[in-house]
Amino acid sequence: MWRLRRAAVACEVCQSLVKHSSGIKGNLPLQKLHLASRNGYHSRHPTLKLQRPHLRTSFQQFSSLTNLPLRKLKLSPVKYGYQPHRNFWPARLAARLLKLRYLILGSAVGGGYTAKKTFDEWKDMIPDLSDYKWIVPDIVWEIDEYIDFEKIRKALPSSEDLAKFAPDMDKIVESLSLLKDFFTTGHKLVSEVIDASDLLLLLGSPGETAFRATDRGSENDKHYRKVSDKEKIDQLQEELLHTQLKYQRILERLEKENKELRKLVLQKDDKGIHHRKLKKSLIDMYSEVLDVLSDYDASYNTQDHLPRVVVVGDQSAGKTSVLEMIAQARIFPRGSGEMMTRSPVKVTLSEGPHHVALFKDSSREFDLTKEEDLAALRHEIELRMRKNVKEGCTVSPETISLNVKGPGLQRMVLVDLPGVINTVTSGMAPDTKETIFSISKAYMQNPNAIILCIQDGSVDAERSIVTDLVSQMDPHGRRTIFVLTKVDLAEKNVASPSRIQQIIEGKLFPMKALGYFAVVTGKGNSSESIEAIKEYEEEFFQNSRLLKTSMLKAHQVTTRNLSLAVSDCFWKMVRESVEQQADSFKATRFNLETEWKNNYPRLRELDRNELFEKAKNEILDEVISLSQVTPKHWEEILQQSLWERVSTHVIENIYLPAAQTMNSGTFNTTVDIKLKQWTDKQLPNKAVEVAWETLQEEFSRFMTEPKGKEHDDIFDKLKEAVKEESIKRHKWNDFAEDSLRVIQHNALEDRSISDKQQWDAAIYFMEEALQARLKDTENAIENMIGPDWKKRWLYWKNRTQEQCVHNETKNELEKMLKCNEEHPAYLASDEITTVRKNLESRGVEVDPSLIKDTWHQVYRRHFLKTALNHCNLCRRGFYYYQRHFVDSELECNDVVLFWRIQRMLAITANTLRQQLTNTEVRRLEKNVKEVLEDFAEDGEKKIKLLTGKRVQLAEDLKKVREIQEKLDAFIEALHQEK
C-alpha cells in the first residue's frame, strides 16, 4: 500500500507542475523536461496546488471514472535545498507496473463481492413460488426422461452466433496495446497510467457492464438495435411456442404408448399370468370410504370433510363436457338447453386395462369403447336421475355413484352437480333454484372440497351466477380452480382479446382461484368423439392468438393439462386432510363405545343387519316348530274348528228340516240329499278355510308367545310383519279340495255304527250340539222379552214396551204349543190371525211379522228340548239299531245322522292334518324364507321394522369402525405409495 500512496503523491505533484508551468522561464512544458529536471522541479515547488490535466487519449470517452471526484491526499513535507539528480526511471517504471497489478486485484475482489451482494438482494426480492409448484404438472419436472436434450444442444446456436452478443474485445486489446507502447517509449507515463487504471476499473467495476460502451453510440445505432431486438424477441417467442407444442405432442405420444403398455400389463394381471392377487387401487379405496360415509350420514355433515372435486357452473356452461373430456367418454345424457343433470353424480376415475363404467349397486359393466354400451349407460343414468327426483320436484340431492376405469385416466373423485339457474321456467318446481343452490352449497362448504368452477367463455362474464356463489364459499380461492370453456367461440365473438386474458386472470370476477385454465370441449355437436374433440382443441390452441401473444401459458390450456392439475391438487388435499379425519373418527368411536358400555353392558353390539339375521333365525326356528306339533293336537284343533264353522248349517239346514218329516224313510232321504249337496258345494272349501286359519293361528301363537327371559321385544314388529306377509302370500294347494271332497262324500255315505262306544259318542256329540243351540235360543228369547221377574227385582231392571209386546206374544204362542205339541214348524195364516186377535183383546197391538219372529224362537226351543228328551231315550237304543229298529217304536235316525257328521269331521281333520304336516307347513316355511330374503334386501323396510336407541347406537358404532378401518388402510397404502 505504501507504493500506492507514493504513486498517488507523484501524480498530484505532476498535475500541479503542469498547471503552473507559466512560472518557469521559457514556458517549457513539463513533458519536455528531463526526468531528473522534473524531479528537481518538484522539490523546489512544494506548495503548488495540484490539478489533473485533461487528457486527449482515445480512452477518455469510455472511462467510467471521469466523473468521480478525486480523493484528497495528505502530502508529506518536502525539504528545500539542492538534491542530487539521479536517473532511476526503470525503478519508477517497475513501481508503476506493480501499482497496476494491485489495482487489477482490488478491482476484481471488490467487483465480485458487490456482484454477489446484488445477486443475493435480487434473489430475496423474488417471491417464493414453491406453494404453487402443484400447478405445474409432474411431467414437467420429469421432462428429462422424455426429451433428448443432446439433440436440443446440437440445435442451439453455435459459438460464433453467440459471439455477436459478446463485448467488443478488439477495442479493449487496442487500448491495452497503446498502453504497452506508452510504457515502452516512456512518454505520457502518468496520464496513461491513470487512464489505464480507469479502464481496468471499468472492466472490473461492480456496478457497470462491459456493454456500456455500446449504449453511447449514435441514435441511429440505438434505433436499429431496438428494431432488431424486437424481431428477435418475436422470433424467439414463436419458436418457443412451436417447441412447446412439439414437446406436448411428444408427451402425448409417449403417454399413449405408456397407456397401451399399462393396458397390456393389466390384462396380463387379469388373466392370472403373474399369479398374484391385485390390491385395490388408492382411488378405489378412497371411493369406498366416501360411499360408506354417504350411507352413514346423508346430510353432508360428516362425509364432506374428505376431499372430492365438485364441478359447479351455470346451466349449459359445459360442466358435463369438461367431465366427459376428463373421463375420456361421452357418458352423460345430453340435451339442447334442457336441464339434464337432475341429481349429483359421483364419478370415481381410476386406471384399469379396459375402458369400462359400472354403478356402485350393480355388477354390469358398460364398455365405453362401444356406442351401444355408451347409449345404454346414458339411458341408465337418466332413468336413475328421474327415479331419484320425487313427485313435484325438478332436482334431487340423492347421489348416483359411478365408477369409470380405463388406461391413462387420472385418479380422482368428481361430483357433477346440477347447473345453477337464474330463472325458473315452466315445467320446473317453484323451489328448483333454491334447491340447486342448497345442493351446491352443501358440497362446496366442505373446507376440503376442490371447487372446479366452470365458466362459459362465449357469454358475457357479467351474466355469470356461479362465480358469486363460489366466491362466497371460498373467498380466498385456496381450493378453487377456474375453467373457461368454449374459448374458440369466445375468441371469435370477443372484440378485445385482452378481455379473455382478464377473465383467465380473474380480474373480471370477485372470486380468486388457485389456477386458471382455458379449454375447448368441441364444436357443439353431441355426436363428436373424444378423439375428434382433442384434435380440434390442439389445432385451435396451436393457431390461437391467445398463445402467440402470451395471454395464455401453455400449461393453462387443454383439458389434458387441466386433468393433471386437478388430479395433483386433489391428491395434495387428500394427503393433507385424511389423517385429520381419521383422528376425528377415532374420537367418535371412543364416545360411542363408552355410551354402549354404560347403557347395554351385557349385550353384544349388533347392528341392524346382525339383528335382522338373529331375528331371521328365530323366525325360521318357530316355523320349524310347527312340524313338531303332535298329530292329535292338529286333529283336535281342526275337528273343533270345523264343527264350529259348519254346526249352524248342519242343524238349521239339514237336521231341523229332516226332523219335520213324518217317518224315518223320509228323514233319511232328506238327510242324504242335503248332505250330498253340501259336500259337493260348500264342505270342502269350508274345510280348507278352517285348516288355513288353524295354521295361521298356530303360526301366530309360535311367533308371538313370549320366550321368557330370552324374549327380545325389539323383534316384535319384524315378526308381525313377516307373519302377515307370509300369510298373504301363502295359498292352499288347489288339488286339496278335490281329494277332500271324495273323502268327505265317502265318509258321509257310511251309516254303520260298529259298537256301543261309537253309539254313545254320537249321542254325546248330539247332546252337546243341541244343548249349545238351546242355550243360544234361550239367550235370544231373553233378549227379545227382556229380564224376568227375578232380574227385575234383584238388578232393578225393567222391560221396554217392545219387550212387553214380545213377552205377551210368547205367552200366547206357548199356550198354542201346549195344546198341540206335535205342531209343525210353521204357523198357518189363520193361527196368526187368532194369536193377533187374542192379543188385541188384551189391549196389545202386534204385527204379523213380530208373531212369526217370536214363533221361530219359541218353536226352536220347544223342538230342541224335545230332541234332547229323545236323545236320552236313544241311549238304550243301540240294540234296536242293530236290528234296524224292527218291532220297536223307538227310532234314532237323528243319532245316526250326528254319528255320520262326527265321523266325517274326524276323517276330514285327519286328512287336513296330513296335508298340513306334509305339504303346507313346508310351503309356509318357504314363503317365510322368501319374505325374509325380500326384507333383507329392502333397507327401508329394515329401518322401519328394527328401530330404537339400541339399534341406532350399534349401527353408528359399526359405521364408524368401518370408516376408521378403511381410512387406516387407505392411509397405510398412501404412505406406501410415497
Side-chain angles (χ1 to χ4, degrees):
M1 294 304 292
W2 62 274
R3 293 179 179 175
L4 293 175
R5 293 192 186 96
R6 288 185 62 185
V9 171
C11 294
E12 291 189 7
V13 172
C14 293
Q15 290 176 0
S16 64
L17 289 176
V18 173
K19 183 177 181 182
H20 297 282
S21 60
S22 60
I24 302 176
K25 191 175 182 178
N27 295 328
L28 184 65
L30 179 62
Q31 289 81 353
K32 294 184 179 181
L33 291 176
H34 192 271
L35 185 59
S37 302
R38 281 183 288 172
N39 190 21
Y41 188 81
H42 281 262
S43 63
R44 287 190 291 269
H45 297 276
T47 59
L48 294 176
K49 294 182 180 178
L50 301 179
Q51 184 176 359
R52 180 180 176 178
H54 296 282
L55 303 178
R56 293 182 177 88
T57 62
S58 60
F59 295 90
Q60 183 177 358
Q61 61 177 334
F62 304 116
S63 175
S64 62
L65 302 178
T66 54
N67 297 326
L68 296 177
L70 294 175
R71 296 176 61 185
K72 295 181 180 181
L73 302 176
K74 295 183 180 181
L75 301 178
S76 58
V78 182
K79 296 182 181 180
Y80 295 93
Y82 176 78
Q83 293 184 359
H85 299 278
R86 299 180 180 180
N87 191 3
F88 293 114
W89 65 271
R92 295 182 182 277
L93 180 60
R96 301 304 188 273
L97 293 175
L98 290 174
K99 173 186 176 183
L100 288 176
R101 181 181 67 180
Y102 286 109
L103 286 174
I104 292 172
L105 180 62
S107 300
V109 174
Y113 174 76
T114 307
K116 181 178 182 303
K117 185 176 180 181
T118 305
F119 175 74
D120 293 338
E121 292 178 356
W122 288 356
K123 185 177 179 182
D124 295 337
M125 293 171 60
I126 296 175
D128 186 8
L129 301 178
S130 61
D131 293 339
Y132 301 94
K133 183 179 178 181
W134 63 270
I135 298 178
V136 181
D138 293 341
I139 193 68
V140 176
W141 308 113
E142 302 172 357
I143 199 170
D144 57 341
E145 299 178 4
Y146 306 98
I147 301 176
D148 190 355
F149 285 101
E150 184 64 26
K151 294 183 180 179
I152 298 175
R153 185 185 65 79
K154 293 180 180 179
L156 291 176
S158 62
S159 59
E160 289 80 3
D161 297 333
L162 294 175
K164 296 178 181 180
F165 298 97
D168 192 358
M169 300 303 294
D170 294 336
K171 292 184 179 181
I172 299 174
V173 173
E174 182 182 357
S175 300
L176 292 176
S177 63
L178 291 174
L179 180 62
K180 180 179 179 181
D181 293 340
F182 171 76
F183 285 131
T184 57
T185 57
H187 296 290
K188 303 178 183 179
L189 176 63
V190 177
S191 61
E192 294 297 336
V193 167
I194 294 173
D195 285 335
S197 302
D198 291 342
L199 177 60
L200 292 171
L201 289 173
L202 170 65
L203 294 174
S205 176
E208 301 292 336
T209 175
F211 299 102
R212 183 160 182 154
T214 59
D215 295 337
R216 297 187 179 182
S218 63
E219 294 297 330
N220 293 332
D221 293 340
K222 290 181 180 179
H223 179 71
Y224 175 75
R225 284 194 177 91
K226 287 180 180 178
V227 173
S228 62
D229 291 344
K230 184 177 180 181
E231 292 177 355
K232 289 181 180 179
I233 291 173
D234 294 339
Q235 184 178 1
L236 288 174
Q237 286 182 349
E238 187 172 358
E239 291 178 355
L240 178 62
L241 178 60
H242 285 291
T243 304
Q244 288 176 340
L245 294 176
K246 176 183 176 182
Y247 291 149
Q248 183 73 18
R249 287 193 292 270
I250 293 174
L251 288 175
E252 290 178 356
R253 179 175 57 81
L254 293 174
E255 288 174 357
K256 187 175 181 180
E257 294 176 357
N258 185 30
K259 177 180 177 181
E260 295 296 330
L261 292 175
R262 289 184 63 86
K263 182 177 179 180
L264 292 175
V265 172
L266 292 172
Q267 285 177 346
K268 290 180 180 180
D269 289 337
D270 286 345
K271 294 178 181 179
I273 293 178
H274 296 296
H275 299 287
R276 62 183 176 86
K277 184 179 180 180
L278 291 176
K279 295 182 179 179
K280 288 184 179 179
S281 63
L282 276 177
I283 192 62
D284 291 336
M285 297 171 67
Y286 186 75
S287 179
E288 288 181 0
V289 173
L290 295 182
D291 291 337
V292 174
L293 282 172
S294 178
D295 296 337
Y296 172 65
D297 188 358
S299 62
Y300 308 105
N301 293 330
T302 302
Q303 72 173 73
D304 271 16
H305 287 300
L306 287 174
R308 81 257 299 122
V309 181
V310 180
V311 185
V312 296
D314 298 331
Q315 184 179 354
S316 301
K319 308 184 314 304
T320 302
S321 300
V322 171
L323 206 156
E324 287 180 337
M325 290 294 292
I326 295 175
Q328 300 182 15
R330 309 301 290 268
I331 58 177
F332 290 103
R334 313 189 68 81
S336 178
E338 182 183 358
M339 177 182 290
M340 300 304 298
T341 306
R342 297 180 177 271
S343 65
V345 181
K346 180 177 77 69
V347 181
T348 302
L349 301 180
S350 60
E351 201 168 22
H354 306 288
H355 202 186
V356 296
L358 65 158
F359 292 97
K360 168 192 170 185
D361 54 354
S362 175
S363 59
R364 178 186 176 184
E365 286 190 351
F366 297 88
D367 190 350
L368 301 184
T369 60
K370 298 180 181 179
E371 188 59 35
E372 299 82 9
D373 284 15
L374 280 172
L377 176 61
R378 290 192 290 265
H379 181 66
E380 180 67 20
I381 292 176
E382 186 175 1
L383 289 179
R384 288 174 179 257
M385 286 183 180
R386 296 187 181 277
K387 181 180 178 181
N388 289 342
V389 177
K390 298 179 180 179
E391 186 177 357
C393 300
T394 307
V395 294
S396 170
E398 297 183 18
T399 305
I400 299 173
S401 183
L402 179 68
N403 292 339
V404 178
K405 298 181 180 181
L409 294 182
Q410 298 298 318
R411 303 174 303 167
M412 67 183 96
V413 178
L414 303 102
V415 181
D416 186 21
L417 299 180
V420 179
I421 60 174
N422 190 22
T423 305
V424 178
T425 60
S426 60
M428 293 185 179
D431 61 342
T432 302
K433 180 179 178 181
E434 291 75 14
T435 305
I436 295 175
F437 268 82
S438 63
I439 294 174
S440 302
K441 288 181 179 179
Y443 277 93
M444 289 191 294
Q445 69 185 3
N446 169 20
N448 296 322
I450 300 167
I451 303 173
L452 196 62
C453 180
I454 308 299
Q455 172 63 33
D456 189 350
S458 63
V459 299
D460 296 335
E462 291 77 10
R463 295 168 57 186
S464 176
I465 308 172
V466 71
T467 51
D468 295 334
L469 181 61
V470 172
S471 61
Q472 294 176 8
M473 296 293 103
D474 185 24
H476 302 290
R478 294 173 181 171
R479 50 189 180 90
T480 300
I481 296 177
F482 181 82
V483 182
L484 186 68
T485 61
K486 306 177 184 178
V487 183
D488 51 342
L489 300 178
E491 189 177 28
K492 294 179 183 178
N493 300 333
V494 178
S496 176
S498 61
R499 184 173 177 84
I500 299 178
Q501 184 181 12
Q502 292 177 350
I503 296 175
I504 291 294
E505 294 176 354
K507 296 180 179 179
L508 290 182
F509 299 109
M511 59 172 288
K512 300 178 182 179
L514 281 174
Y516 298 87
F517 291 86
V519 298
V520 175
T521 56
K523 300 179 182 179
N525 186 3
S526 60
S527 61
E528 286 182 291
S529 65
I530 297 297
E531 295 299 328
I533 296 175
K534 284 184 178 180
E535 293 177 0
Y536 173 70
E537 184 182 40
E538 181 181 348
E539 180 182 357
F540 167 76
F541 283 116
Q542 186 175 359
N543 302 321
S544 175
R545 292 177 297 169
L546 301 175
L547 280 181
K548 290 183 178 180
T549 56
S550 299
M551 293 184 184
L552 294 175
K553 303 297 186 295
H555 68 272
Q556 289 183 295
V557 297
T558 71
T559 51
R560 174 64 181 170
N561 291 333
L562 171 64
S563 62
L564 290 171
V566 173
S567 178
D568 291 341
C569 184
F570 169 76
W571 284 107
K572 179 183 177 183
M573 192 73 75
V574 168
R575 291 185 179 95
E576 291 176 353
S577 60
V578 67
E579 293 188 0
Q580 181 182 359
Q581 293 301 312
D583 293 338
S584 66
F585 278 105
K586 287 180 182 178
T588 305
R589 175 179 176 178
F590 175 78
N591 296 336
L592 292 175
E593 288 177 346
T594 304
E595 185 177 358
W596 182 273
K597 291 178 182 178
N598 293 331
N599 292 311
Y600 311 102
R602 297 185 179 181
L603 294 177
R604 289 192 301 120
E605 300 165 1
L606 300 178
D607 62 359
R608 185 172 281 110
N609 291 331
E610 293 171 339
L611 287 172
F612 182 83
E613 290 298 323
K614 183 179 178 181
K616 176 181 177 181
N617 294 330
E618 289 188 6
I619 293 171
L620 293 177
D621 291 341
E622 290 164 358
V623 174
I624 294 175
S625 299
L626 287 174
S627 61
Q628 306 300 322
V629 177
T630 61
K632 182 180 180 181
H633 180 73
W634 276 122
E635 293 181 8
E636 289 178 354
I637 296 175
L638 289 170
Q639 188 172 349
Q640 181 179 359
S641 301
L642 182 59
W643 172 243
E644 291 176 355
R645 182 67 60 86
V646 302
S647 60
T648 302
H649 180 82
V650 169
I651 294 175
E652 300 293 336
N653 298 329
I654 298 177
Y655 175 61
L656 289 178
Q660 303 303 318
T661 59
M662 301 303 296
N663 52 56
S664 61
T666 308
F667 177 88
N668 291 331
T669 302
T670 304
V671 167
D672 290 342
I673 293 173
K674 291 186 177 294
L675 287 177
K676 181 69 169 58
Q677 295 175 351
W678 183 44
T679 305
D680 291 340
K681 296 180 180 179
Q682 299 180 8
L683 183 57
N685 187 22
K686 294 289 183 180
V688 170
E689 289 181 0
V690 168
W692 176 219
E693 291 176 0
T694 303
L695 180 61
Q696 293 182 31
E697 292 175 358
E698 290 298 306
F699 179 56
S700 300
R701 181 173 64 85
F702 280 106
M703 292 279 288
T704 57
E705 68 180 1
K707 304 298 187 298
K709 294 183 178 179
E710 297 179 358
H711 177 70
D712 195 347
D713 56 359
I714 203 171
F715 300 142
D716 291 345
K717 292 175 65 177
L718 176 61
K719 290 181 177 181
E720 184 67 22
V722 171
K723 183 194 73 173
E724 293 178 357
E725 185 66 23
S726 301
I727 291 173
K728 186 187 300 183
R729 296 185 183 184
H730 184 77
K731 292 183 180 180
W732 206 272
N733 193 353
D734 295 334
F735 300 101
E737 291 187 11
D738 297 335
S739 61
L740 192 61
R741 182 178 294 108
V742 175
I743 293 172
Q744 290 173 342
H745 180 74
N746 293 334
L748 291 174
E749 287 291 328
D750 188 6
R751 301 179 184 178
S752 60
I753 302 176
S754 60
D755 54 16
K756 182 72 166 54
Q757 185 178 1
Q758 293 181 2
W759 181 268
D760 293 340
I763 292 176
Y764 177 76
F765 174 66
M766 179 179 175
E767 285 182 344
E768 282 189 342
L770 295 178
Q771 287 176 356
R773 291 295 163 181
L774 179 59
K775 184 177 180 180
D776 294 338
T777 305
E778 293 285 354
N779 292 331
I781 293 175
E782 183 179 357
N783 293 330
M784 183 184 297
I785 65 175
D788 55 5
W789 65 272
K790 291 182 179 179
K791 292 182 178 180
R792 291 199 301 270
W793 280 96
L794 293 176
Y795 302 107
W796 292 81
K797 292 182 178 180
N798 294 320
R799 291 173 176 170
T800 62
Q801 182 65 31
E802 184 180 0
Q803 289 175 344
C804 292
V805 173
H806 277 289
N807 184 48
E808 294 294 334
T809 305
K810 178 186 75 76
N811 294 332
E812 189 67 25
L813 293 174
E814 286 178 348
K815 292 178 182 180
M816 184 184 298
L817 279 175
K818 288 180 180 180
C819 297
N820 184 11
E821 293 183 357
E822 300 296 332
H823 195 285
Y826 301 100
L827 286 175
S829 59
D830 56 344
E831 293 177 334
I832 295 174
T833 303
T834 302
V835 172
R836 183 170 60 83
K837 289 183 178 180
N838 292 336
L839 293 174
E840 288 178 354
S841 64
R842 295 199 298 266
V844 178
E845 296 290 337
V846 295
D847 189 78
S849 61
L850 186 144
I851 296 173
K852 291 180 180 181
D853 294 339
T854 308
W855 168 254
H856 176 72
Q857 297 297 334
V858 171
Y859 180 81
R860 184 185 182 85
R861 183 176 63 177
H862 169 72
F863 174 79
L864 291 174
K865 288 181 178 180
T866 303
L868 284 172
N869 293 330
H870 180 71
C871 187
N872 291 327
L873 294 175
C874 290
R875 288 183 185 277
R876 301 181 300 273
F878 179 70
Y879 171 77
Y880 299 102
Y881 165 76
Q882 289 178 332
R883 296 180 61 182
H884 304 288
F885 300 105
V886 178
D887 300 331
S888 175
E889 296 180 359
L890 183 64
E891 294 182 357
C892 297
N893 294 316
D894 49 357
V895 177
V896 177
L897 169 63
F898 277 93
W899 178 83
R900 294 167 67 184
I901 297 295
Q902 186 182 27
R903 187 169 180 274
M904 181 274 298
L905 293 176
I907 294 175
T908 302
N910 181 268
T911 304
L912 292 175
R913 190 266 304 168
Q914 293 179 10
Q915 292 180 359
L916 280 172
T917 56
N918 297 334
T919 306
E920 302 303 328
V921 171
R922 295 179 181 177
R923 294 179 64 237
L924 178 62
E925 181 180 356
K926 181 180 178 181
N927 290 337
V928 170
K929 289 181 179 179
E930 291 177 355
V931 171
L932 289 172
E933 289 175 358
D934 294 342
F935 284 6
E937 296 176 359
D938 192 348
E940 295 181 358
K941 183 77 72 173
K942 289 192 289 187
I943 293 174
K944 181 180 179 181
L945 298 176
L946 294 173
T947 58
K949 180 182 178 181
R950 186 180 116 196
V951 181
Q952 191 60 44
L953 185 58
E955 193 75 12
D956 293 343
L957 255 175
K958 179 193 174 184
K959 289 294 183 183
V960 170
R961 285 173 179 166
E962 184 180 2
I963 294 168
Q964 184 186 352
E965 290 174 359
K966 289 186 178 294
L967 279 175
D968 291 342
F970 173 74
I971 293 172
E972 182 179 357
L974 192 63
H975 290 166
Q976 290 177 357
E977 187 181 68
K978 284 185 179 180

